[in-house]
């Protein structure tokens, strides 16, 4: 477990959000297509250059609906597999964070990597949790502590 897996966890959460947004968009389009009725007028025979009569034809775009439904199913399957992968990765991340010896760092890591808060928000939460601390947490303080942790842990080199 290294810093890259923690960062990958953050990006996977964003990817799943994007996939969910796309699937919702496909579902809305599919619902619109199911409600859609296509209308066209067709001429029936000709008497000279003039048509005998015109007929109004109505129907649904079944091929388009079927293609959208198949795409939606594929995207749903992809989302489900990514969610399972994210769940496995989140378990690994939680185990790794639990293995950190200092409680203060564990809290920072959960807030920053799992809850996806910025350094400033992590500092604010830490200040709320520890109001009697002599030196208040700052975003720079939190950032440096996380960076130093990765520099000092041999299996977790800091790649810049």
């Amino acid at each position: 477990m290294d810093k890259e897996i923690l960062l990958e966890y953050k990006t996977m959460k964003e990817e799943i959000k994007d996939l969910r947004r796309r699937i919702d968009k496909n579902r809305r389009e599919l619902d619109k297509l199911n409600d859609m009725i296509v209308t066209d007028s067709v001429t029936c025979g000709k008497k000279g250059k003039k048509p005998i009569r015109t007929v109004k034809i109505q129907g649904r775009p079944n091929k388009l609906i079927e293609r959208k439904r198949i795409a939606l199913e594929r995207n749903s399957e992809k989302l489900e597999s990514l969610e399972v992968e994210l769940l496995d990765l989140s378990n690994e991340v939680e185990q790794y964070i639990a293995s950190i010896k200092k409680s203060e760092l564990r809290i920072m890591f959960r807030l920053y990597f799992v809850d996806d808060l910025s350094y400033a928000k992590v500092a604010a939460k830490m200040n709320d949790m520890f109001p009697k601390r002599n030196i208040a947490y700052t975003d720079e303080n939190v950032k440096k502590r996380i960076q130093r942790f990765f520099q000092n842990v041999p299996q977790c080199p800091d790649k810049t």
Side-chain angles (χ1 to χ4, degrees), residues 35-111:
D35 294 339
M36 181 189 293
I37 296 176
V38 179
T39 305
D40 195 11
S41 61
V42 180
T43 59
C44 296
K46 290 190 175 189
K47 188 174 185 183
K49 292 185 178 181
K50 294 184 180 181
I52 297 175
R53 65 186 176 126
T54 58
V55 177
K56 188 175 174 182
I57 298 175
Q58 293 183 339
R60 289 179 31 181
N62 290 330
K63 288 184 181 179
L64 186 59
I65 290 172
E66 187 61 23
R67 279 186 287 174
K68 284 279 187 182
R69 188 186 58 74
I70 290 170
L72 183 64
E73 287 174 359
R74 266 189 267 126
N75 284 343
S76 295
E77 289 171 8
K78 185 177 179 182
L79 175 66
E80 289 169 6
S81 68
L82 279 174
E83 280 181 326
V84 168
E85 191 177 333
L86 179 67
L87 186 61
D88 292 341
L89 191 59
S90 68
N91 287 338
E92 286 180 39
V93 167
E94 287 290 338
Q95 287 175 353
Y96 178 70
I97 290 173
S99 72
I100 297 172
K101 291 180 181 171
K102 288 191 171 186
S103 173
E104 187 179 35
L105 276 175
R106 284 195 303 267
I107 294 169
M108 282 183 197
F109 271 63
R110 275 192 206 99
L111 291 172

